[in-house]
Amino acid sequence: MKKLVIALGVSVLLGACAGSGMSNASSSAATPMVGGAPMYPTKDIVDNAVNSKDHTTLVAAVKAADLVATLKSPGPFTVFAPTNASFAALPAGTVDTLLKPENKATLTKVLTYHVVPGRMDSAALTSAINAGGGKATLKTASGGTLTATMSGGTVWVTDAKGGTAAVTIANVYQSNGVIHVVNKVLLPG
């Protein structure tokens, strides 16, 4: 069970795509491009993420947290994947500190906080937001919660510290889940 939770958390760090009801929507028939690389729905989260030039920091973090095997597992996972620019916006030295072996537990918690068990594409997220009167509470693989809302056709995800991230690319389907690219790193409480 612990491995599954860790795997879910790792999934959070990788992905992207476009979909209905969210910004940057695109046809589900087309293979989405993330970080200049095609994201094939027949590949798992890790096999796609390693090709995205926008997710090299996430991939390095997943490797440092020993989450690769977890993210290659069947899932399904919904991952809110921050870009390199999202990690770069953190206070100076944060990423380097998290990548140190002695901080593996903290890194794992941050990564799994971006993962929600199950497959929630944009239609499912929109439905949950509407059913919740404008917001949906999502339980993460790390045991925390994220709150999803919608404004102007964009899905916003709020973390435990009150930080918000916009979904910039939705519905990047993977063989073991779906990835939504976000523009901020989400932080657990």
Side-chain angles (χ1 to χ4, degrees):
M1 182 66 170
K2 184 175 181 181
K3 226 173 187 177
L4 177 61
V5 169
I6 290 173
L8 291 175
V10 171
S11 298
V12 121
L13 302 175
L14 312 165
C17 186
S20 65
M22 296 179 133
S23 63
N24 295 334
S26 71
S27 168
S28 60
T31 300
M33 298 291 286
V34 176
M39 298 289 117
Y40 298 104
T42 56
K43 291 186 175 185
D44 63 46
I45 292 166
V46 173
D47 289 345
N48 272 320
V50 298
N51 295 315
S52 171
K53 291 178 185 167
D54 290 342
H55 291 90
T56 57
T57 303
L58 180 60
V59 170
V62 167
K63 289 178 181 178
D66 288 330
L67 294 174
V68 171
T70 301
L71 292 177
K72 290 183 77 56
S73 71
F77 311 117
T78 298
V79 175
F80 294 97
T83 61
N84 292 343
S86 302
F87 282 102
L90 292 171
T94 301
V95 174
D96 290 336
T97 299
L98 284 172
L99 293 175
K100 291 181 179 180
E102 61 268 24
N103 296 320
K104 183 177 174 180
T106 301
L107 176 61
T108 299
K109 183 175 182 178
V110 169
L111 294 177
T112 57
Y113 187 67
H114 290 80
V115 177
V116 174
R119 182 185 295 250
M120 287 195 85
D121 63 9
S122 62
L125 275 172
T126 300
S127 179
I129 291 167
N130 291 336
K135 67 179 180 179
T137 301
L138 310 173
K139 185 79 166 179
T140 70
S142 71
T145 59
L146 296 169
T147 303
T149 57
M150 186 174 280
S151 177
T154 298
V155 169
W156 292 87
V157 183
T158 304
D159 64 24
K161 295 188 181 257
T164 59
V167 173
T168 59
I169 303 175
N171 297 337
V172 181
Y173 294 103
Q174 316 287 299
S175 64
N176 59 345
V178 61
I179 293 172
H180 303 293
V181 175
V182 294
N183 66 352
K184 299 280 189 225
V185 174
L186 300 164
L187 300 173

